Amino acid sequence: MLFYALLFVAVGKAACSSRTEAPPTPQSGVQCHDWGVHQGASVGVYEGESGRIPCPLFSFPSLYNYNQSSGLTLLWYRHTSTHELEQPIDLRAHTFLKHRDSLWIQPATLQDRGLYICMLRNTTSCAKVGVQLQVFVRNGVCDGTLHRNVTVPFQKSYTLRCPDLQHLPSVSYNVTWYHKCRGDLSVFYHRQVEGDEVKIYNLLIGSEGPYTCVVSYQSNGHTLQFTRTINIKPVSPNCGTDHPRVLNPTSGQIYTVTLGEAVNLTCRVFLPCMENEEQQVWWSIDKKTVEELADPRYSSPARSIELEDYGDQTVQKVLHVSEFSAADLQREFRCSARNSRGFNTSVANLQKEVYIPSVELGCGLGVTLAVAVLLFVLYRVYKLEVHLLYRSWFGTDERYSDDKEYDVYISYARNGEEEEFVMTTLRRVLEVELGYSVCIFDRDSLPGGTITDETLRFVGRSRRLVIVVSAFSAVQGTQALLELQAGLAMLRGGHLRVVLIQYKLVNKQCWVKELRRARVALTLIRWQGEKSLPLSSRFWKQLQLELPIRKHTTHTDTERTLDLTDHAKRKHPEESTALILDSLSKPDTQAHQKQRAQSSSAAV
Ligand SMILES: *[C@@H]1O[C@H](CO)[C@@H](O)[C@H](O)[C@H]1NC(C)=O
Ligand SMILES: *[C@@H]1O[C@H](CO)[C@@H](O)[C@H](O)[C@H]1NC(C)=O
Ligand SMILES: *[C@@H]1O[C@H](CO)[C@@H](O)[C@H](O)[C@H]1NC(C)=O
Ligand SMILES: *[C@@H]1O[C@H](CO)[C@@H](O)[C@H](O)[C@H]1NC(C)=O
Ligand SMILES: *[C@@H]1O[C@H](CO)[C@@H](O)[C@H](O)[C@H]1NC(C)=O
Ligand SMILES: *[C@@H]1O[C@H](CO)[C@@H](O)[C@H](O)[C@H]1NC(C)=O
């Protein structure tokens, strides 16, 4: 009794399922060939619209042919996350419709996305393949998320057909076309809507871009619709006639490689426009492709597009060598490109790079730089000291090379604060502390003789003229002005150096015209009051720099200086004679040489 009850249930179930589709039948004994999930065939559909999933098995017509006479059955299944096994699709539900080689979903909801499996079988054989369905929420009427690209050469004709329309499971439908979201397609004479199609007679700039067809139809008493977009990409009119060209490596190009390091060899290829043709670009090592070699040290990732222009492409193909060996240097690295029109190839010239120890070099440079910066800072701080030190080491004592009597002639305005400074401070420090021979006109000139001549003579016999600038320096007819003019004249002749000292701030406007002009070329040393009193102050260091070198500051007597000048003269008697003779032949320097001769004789 129980047995009959079970049989009844089983028969009932069988009757039930036969109304849908025969379930996958492991009991039929036929092993079903599984092609897996067909990646290229995945289908996208907008939510709320109809979608069509064609069974990809029929894209191999030589293998599978499905028609009434073939005796094959097409079955549809779905793989959902809730069920371990594939579930037959319930065709009783209105949303699913099996129509010829496709499954229509009318309309699609977000829940419908997932893996669909079509199975083709007869009593002796079986095959199945999976298709992924994606459902997108449409973002406005002009959403072009789902589209296909079509390349059309300029000035060629093309007919746009709405995809899936010829497979529509209904005979009554309406089609509306849009171009770039606008409905007025026929305003251009070079294109027209004819029936369900758009005919472009002559593709011109402006006719490219997205063409959208919206199809509405009736099915099972419902009004349904779907939208498809075809994106027209114009290409050059002579598309399909050219061969590829390898741009890099060029014949003169050298790829530098470092042994033991990773190396990237980049090949650049111009791929001309080709309609529906896969053009090849590849690297070969000693005439073997990377795949043939199967050496893990070599790899060549997919090419990247550098430039794209109306179908012409410039692409890059990199060969990556993980550890470049010495043996690799002997190999031939060749980049090639091919399409149906031709072949082009080029060999990379490799050159070993000389090893540069970048870290060590970097450290060395860093240290050098740090030392340089340190020295620079020290120099900025101790500039004067450095100069003085340098002079004391490498400077020459002018006493040995000239025949002057005094080191310094001090010019100052009488009856001013400056006079006091000269007498009590400047003269004392220069003579006593620093050991210079100083000439002060009022003290050193002998009574009698004209002041002008005497002044010129004394200034001429000094190595430096130190002018203590004051508001009274410029007063006409004063001794100070006379000294100044004499000094500046000799300065221009190059026979004397002039140093300015500013004891008190003097308005430049008060300076005598000649001094104002000469100021640019002269050193001005400022007295800083109390601060300048010690011998180690900036004032005295600056002054010493301007004055002749004194290595021994103990000799203060003028006799000593005189001795030295005598000595110098005795040492170079021929030179002095030569200079005098020379001066005779050069009239413009005659005056100076005469004076020089005079002072020499005076010194004697
Ligand atoms: C049906 O398929 C067979 C091969 O299986 C083929 O010879 C025949 O032409 C097909 N018929 C139609 C109408 O496509
Ligand atoms: C079943 O289909 C296969 C492949 O299409 C075919 O070779 C075979 O003859 C078919 N068997 C029957 C019994 O129709
Ligand atoms: C079509 O071409 C555009 C570039 O023009 C690209 O972004 C898009 O991914 C292409 N679409 C498809 C489906 O290949
Ligand atoms: C097509 O359009 C016409 C007029 O706009 C309308 O009467 C008809 O019902 C439409 N048909 C479908 C299937 O939507
Ligand atoms: C080589 O190229 C890859 C990316 O393609 C990059 O990650 C790597 O750093 C490059 N190596 C060298 C040595 O340039
Ligand atoms: C590659 O193309 C260039 C430019 O068209 C041509 O000069 C060269 O001969 C070609 N090389 C080969 C091997 O075809």
Side-chain angles (χ1 to χ4, degrees), residues 21 40 49 58 71 79 150 201 228-229 233 249 298 304 311 349 358 363 368 387-388 426 437 443 450 462 599:
E21 285 286 342
E49 293 201 344
F58 304 111
H79 203 106
V150 171
Y201 304 115
R228 299 284 182 270
T229 298
K233 303 175 88 178
Y298 305 114
S304 59
N349 283 321
S358 52
C363 286
T368 311
H387 277 236
L388 282 172
L426 190 59
S437 56
R443 182 189 70 182
T450 58
S462 305
S599 54

Side-chain angles (χ1 to χ4, degrees), residues 43 50 165 256 335 380 420 481 568 581:
V43 172
S50 297
L165 189 60
T256 47
C335 179
R380 293 300 294 187
E420 162 126 15
L481 187 61
L581 285 174

Side-chain angles (χ1 to χ4, degrees), residues 296-317:
R297 288 196 307 122
Y298 305 114
S299 61
S300 188
R303 68 195 183 202
S304 59
I305 298 172
E306 182 186 306
L307 199 80
E308 190 157 25
D309 182 32
Y310 290 132
D312 296 340
Q313 283 185 343
T314 305
V315 301
Q316 287 194 0
K317 180 86 174 164

Side-chain angles (χ1 to χ4, degrees), residues 261-264 301 318 320:
E261 303 234 320
V263 167
N264 282 345
V318 174
H320 183 70

Side-chain angles (χ1 to χ4, degrees), residues 356-370:
I356 296 169
S358 52
V359 173
E360 293 87 329
L361 203 68
C363 286
L365 273 178
V367 169
T368 311
L369 200 70

